[in-house]
């Protein structure tokens, strides 16, 4: 455990744990509303923020937070008003964000593509004390939203139309989800990098789904996977001198594969338990639509 | 005259530059069970979705419990069962988790208390799904899934129940459960507005039927008897693909 003696590793590990908690905590809502790639889009937009941070000699983390929050709000507005052309507008936003990032960082006196690379793929040694402070503040916000509003966010992500009829402020909650996702991207940026952020939002959730039956269990398992792989990846990258972001993502994929292999026997066991509990007395299960005829389609 | 619970007057709605509702009048009084009938695409779903504010209306007035819909905030008085689609969330959820979101309209800041959890259990009991409470909704049949959605609507103990084709794609066993649940609700004074394809097992409950065709109300009165029996030989029906207005409605009672 000699790595704990180094201040940079302490900072990196703290950042890693916070990323491991926040990324799946937001990601689960994105997956639930089938916007798994939203994190990826925000990651592209955040590049402009990093570039601007270098150009204006501001903190790239805070600048990236600002720009990606604006980008996420814009994405949500496009989703409301964009209708059919929405996906094209989103594509332009993503590529504009990426191109802007590369442009600004090369215009900056202190910036180079090497700087950008550490933001794109993550880097442990460059996590500074001020980065850690920013990450702690942002992560606290993410945890507060994703846990404190879990029932509301669940309802809105599950069925937006129904959520509206329960009187929930659907648009506000959608915007809040987008903003929280943007904040998470910047939390994770230093550790896993902007291009791999989305993997940590989505893959732990997908892995947890293999063995969980409830939303609550999926949430807990996904966060547990997130924390395990971020710590594991950070420590591995210290000993083996491999990039942390890539290591973390590959570990996450490994967890997904392992849990998928586990899922099949688990499902069989559950099915057997179910059958034993039901007996053969549940006709409700097997006589669905087939009996409908063409004439049934018409009321009058 | 009892107070109208739902009231639409001259409601028009365009979807994608096409008029879908062309001036609809529809009133549901307290304690009434009203069926909204009509062929596919006649605007039934659009009509009920305009009541809950999911569809922008171009003209006309909509009131819920005597309040303009745009100022209406007492959503805990309304239970809604959307037309069942394949749109389930991308993450597993248990029956209880889904039904609990129906209780949010009565929960302050989304915090469910003991009484709320009890209400969720009662709603599950009403539709006979209490034994599946911890199961994933993905593991349910179409009929069971529909029962869960109805329990979700009942979880807030609504005075008005709006249901969009609750019997579509539902197995016979579940249809019976649903008819029984609804009968119980109605006997307790719940007002019901339901979209139906055919009256089916719900026929004895229905006080009044409103029939839509091409976004217009073409009948408002006693339920047309022929609808329930149109599987019998010799009955007439308008095919959904028939050109608009090409054929008069020939269901005896309507002419
Ligand atoms: N979002 C939409 N955009 C454009 N047209 C729509 C939309 N939703 C429904 N429609 C059209 O409006 C008409 C009425 O639809 P709907 O109210 O769902 O009918 P019903 O429920 O009676 O089958 C249909 O012709 C349908 O194609
Ligand atoms: Mg419909």
């Amino acid at each position: 455990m000699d790595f704990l003696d180094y201040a940079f590793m302490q900072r990196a590990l703290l950042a890693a744990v916070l990323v491991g908690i926040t990324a799946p905590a937001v990601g689960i809502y994105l997956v639930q509303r089938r916007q798994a790639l939203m994190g990826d889009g925000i990651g592209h937009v955040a590049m402009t923020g990093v570039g601007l941070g270098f150009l204006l000699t501001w903190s790239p983390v805070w600048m990236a937070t600002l720009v990606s929050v604006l980008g996420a709000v814009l994405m949500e507005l496009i989703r409301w008003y964009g209708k059919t052309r929405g996906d094209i507008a989103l594509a332009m936003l993503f590529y504009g964000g990426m191109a802007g990032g590369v442009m600004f960082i090369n215009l900056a006196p202190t910036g180079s593509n090497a700087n950008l690379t550490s933001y794109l793929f993550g880097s442990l040694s460059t996590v500074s004390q001020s980065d850690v402070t920013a990450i702690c503040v942002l992560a606290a916000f993410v945890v507060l939203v994703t846990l404190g509003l879990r029932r509301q966010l669940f309802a809105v992500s599950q069925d937006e139309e129904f959520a509206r009829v329960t009187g929930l402020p659907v648009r506000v909650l959608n915007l809040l989800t987008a903003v929280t996702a943007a904040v998470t991207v910047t939390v994770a940026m230093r550790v896993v990098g902007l291009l791999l952020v989305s993997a940590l939002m989505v893959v732990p959730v997908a892995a947890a789904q293999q063995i969980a039956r409830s939303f609550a269990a999926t949430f807990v398992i996904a966060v547990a996977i997130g924390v395990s792989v971020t710590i594991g990846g950070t420590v591995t990258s210290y000993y083996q001198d491999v990039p942390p972001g890539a290591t973390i993502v590959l570990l996450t994929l490994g967890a997904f594969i392992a849990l998928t292999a586990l899922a099949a026997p688990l499902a069989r066991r559950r099915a057997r338990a179910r059958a034993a509990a039901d007996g053969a007395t549940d006709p409700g299960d097997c006589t669905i639509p087939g009996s409908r005829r063409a004439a049934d389609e018409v009321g009058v | 005259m009892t107070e109208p619970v739902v009231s639409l007057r001259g409601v028009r709605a365009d979807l994608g530059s096409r008029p879908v509702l062309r001036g609809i009048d529809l009133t549901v009084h307290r304690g009434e069970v009203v069926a909204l009938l009509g062929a596919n695409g006649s605007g039934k779903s659009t009509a009920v979705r305009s009541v809950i504010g999911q569809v922008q209306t171009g003209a006309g007035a909509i009131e819920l419990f005597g309040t303009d819909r745009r100022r209406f905030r007492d959503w805990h008085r309304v239970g809604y069962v959307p037309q069942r689609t394949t749109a389930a969330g991308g993450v597993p959820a248990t029956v209880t988790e889904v039904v609990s979101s129906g209780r949010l309209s009565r929960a302050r800041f989304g915090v469910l208390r003991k009484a709320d959890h009890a209400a969720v259990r009662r709603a599950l009991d009403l539709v006979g799904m209490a034994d599946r409470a911890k199961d994933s909704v993905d593991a349910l049949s179409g009929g069971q899934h529909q029962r869960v959605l109805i329990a979700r609507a009942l979880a807030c103990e609504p005075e008005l129940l709006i249901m969009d084709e609750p019997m579509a794609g539902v197995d016979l066993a579940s249809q019976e459960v649903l008819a029984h649940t609804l009968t119980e609700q109605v006997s307790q004074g719940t007002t019901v507005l339901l979209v139906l394809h055919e009256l089916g097992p719900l026929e004895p409950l229905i006080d009044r039927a409103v029939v839509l065709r091409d976004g217009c109300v073409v009948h408002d009165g006693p339920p047309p008897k022929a609808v329930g029996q149109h599987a019998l030989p010799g009955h007439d029906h308008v095919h959904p693909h028939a050109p608009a207005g090409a054929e008069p409605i020939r269901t005896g009672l309507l002419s």
Side-chain angles (χ1 to χ4, degrees):
Chain A
M1 300 290 266
D2 57 335
F3 53 82
L4 281 178
D5 297 341
Y6 297 96
F8 85 91
M9 268 307 277
Q10 289 167 5
R11 289 198 297 268
L13 276 172
L14 177 59
V17 169
L18 293 176
V19 172
I21 294 170
T22 53
V26 175
I28 192 167
Y29 299 109
L30 299 183
V31 172
Q32 197 188 7
R33 53 207 298 163
R34 302 186 189 281
Q35 295 178 342
L37 290 177
M38 184 166 181
D40 203 43
I42 297 173
H44 284 64
V45 174
M47 285 173 68
T48 290
V50 172
L52 272 179
F54 275 100
L55 188 63
L56 307 174
T57 59
W58 259 48
S59 150
V61 172
W62 286 112
M63 205 62 201
T65 307
L66 186 71
V67 171
S68 56
V69 164
L70 288 177
V73 169
L74 198 59
M75 282 160 71
E76 196 50 40
L77 293 177
I78 289 172
R79 204 168 71 86
W80 290 345
Y81 300 110
K83 307 246 155 60
T84 47
R85 309 309 302 254
D87 56 335
I88 307 221
L90 287 180
M92 291 196 289
L93 187 65
F94 297 173
Y95 303 131
M98 193 150 70
V102 174
M103 186 56 81
F104 288 139
I105 209 157
N106 280 286
L107 290 177
T110 57
S112 69
N113 281 337
N115 295 110
L116 192 58
T117 305
S118 85
Y119 285 89
L120 288 183
F121 298 106
S123 136
L124 295 182
S125 53
T126 55
V127 179
S128 68
Q129 189 55 51
S130 68
D131 286 343
V132 169
T133 310
I135 288 173
C136 284
V137 172
L138 295 172
F141 167 77
V142 173
V143 169
L144 220 62
V145 170
T146 54
L147 275 183
L149 296 176
R150 63 187 182 283
R151 285 193 191 279
Q152 290 93 328
L153 294 178
F154 171 85
V156 168
S157 309
Q158 182 82 10
D159 187 340
E160 207 174 285
E161 183 165 317
F162 181 82
R164 187 159 286 138
V165 184
T166 60
L168 287 175
V170 170
R171 292 197 160 182
V172 173
L173 289 168
N174 282 341
L175 272 180
L176 192 63
T177 308
V179 166
T180 310
V183 168
T184 307
V185 164
T186 47
V187 168
M189 170 173 80
R190 299 307 272 134
V191 178
V192 281
L194 287 173
L195 292 184
L196 293 173
V197 162
S198 192
L200 206 52
M201 290 181 159
V202 173
V203 183
V205 178
Q209 281 185 29
Q210 302 297 315
I211 55 168
R213 277 182 301 178
S214 69
F215 186 83
T218 308
F219 193 108
V220 170
I221 297 172
V223 168
I225 294 172
V227 171
S228 314
V229 296
T230 47
I231 292 180
T234 306
V235 173
T236 307
S237 89
Y238 169 81
Y239 283 115
Q240 301 297 324
D241 195 26
V242 285
T247 316
I248 289 170
V249 170
L250 289 175
L251 280 176
T252 319
L253 289 171
F256 175 80
I257 292 167
L259 289 183
T260 307
L262 243 172
L266 199 68
R268 269 201 299 279
R269 234 182 54 201
R270 276 180 187 154
R272 269 203 304 275
R274 179 84 252 151
D278 278 1
T281 56
D282 185 7
D285 259 311
C286 35
T287 45
I288 356 175
S291 61
R292 289 171 64 80
R293 267 162 282 181
D296 292 357
E297 291 306 312
V298 189
V300 179
Chain B
M1 202 74 210
T2 47
E3 172 200 359
V5 171
V6 179
S7 148
L8 282 78
R9 285 190 308 274
V11 169
R12 309 180 69 88
D14 296 348
L15 288 173
S17 77
R18 187 171 155 268
V20 175
L21 300 181
R22 303 186 292 165
I24 286 199
D25 294 318
L26 170 66
T27 307
V28 183
H29 296 282
R30 186 169 289 282
E32 249 188 327
V33 180
V34 173
L36 194 55
L37 304 171
N40 266 332
S42 55
K44 307 182 297 292
S45 294
T46 309
V48 295
R49 292 173 82 235
S50 75
V51 173
I52 58 157
Q54 189 71 23
V55 167
Q56 293 289 325
T57 50
I62 302 178
E63 287 182 359
L64 278 166
F65 297 97
T67 307
D68 186 293
R69 193 214 64 214
R70 277 160 300 188
R71 283 197 309 276
F72 182 77
R73 294 288 175 273
D74 297 337
W75 287 109
H76 60 86
R77 301 173 81 178
V78 183
Y80 174 58
V81 181
Q83 185 162 17
R84 200 161 60 84
T85 54
T86 47
V91 173
T94 63
V95 168
T96 301
E97 284 173 331
V98 169
V99 174
S100 296
S101 49
R103 189 68 189 176
L104 285 177
S105 53
R106 290 216 182 250
R108 220 172 240 279
F109 308 117
V111 181
L112 296 191
R113 296 170 198 288
K114 228 182 194 159
D116 298 312
H117 292 295
V120 168
R121 274 194 301 275
R122 268 200 308 282
L124 280 173
D125 265 331
L126 285 174
V127 298
M129 291 294 289
D131 58 327
R132 306 297 298 265
K134 288 197 164 73
D135 286 0
S136 168
V137 285
D138 299 331
L140 304 179
S141 72
Q144 291 168 334
H145 196 253
Q146 188 69 20
R147 280 148 74 176
V148 169
L149 295 191
I150 289 171
R152 181 178 69 170
L154 293 176
C156 66
E157 297 161 300
E159 295 163 52
L160 166 66
L161 204 49
I162 299 176
M163 305 199 277
D164 197 343
E165 304 210 17
M167 295 301 200
V170 171
D171 53 282
L172 280 177
S174 289
Q175 287 201 8
E176 273 162 32
V177 174
L178 293 185
H180 177 73
T181 308
L182 214 56
T183 311
E184 226 158 69
Q185 291 297 311
V186 170
S187 72
Q188 287 164 19
T190 308
T191 309
V192 182
L193 170 61
L194 30 63
V195 173
L196 288 177
H197 248 328
E198 48 191 347
L199 294 178
L202 298 180
E203 187 163 4
L205 279 177
I206 311 247
D207 298 317
R208 188 157 55 87
V210 174
V211 180
L212 291 187
R213 191 169 50 152
D214 289 326
C216 296
V217 174
V218 292
H219 169 83
D220 187 343
K225 286 284 177 284
V227 168
Q229 303 154 7
H230 67 69
L232 296 176
H235 100 99
D236 282 325
H237 70 263
V238 179
H239 200 266
H241 306 305
E247 225 174 317
I249 297 178
R250 281 177 291 166
T251 313
L253 214 117
L254 299 183
S255 42

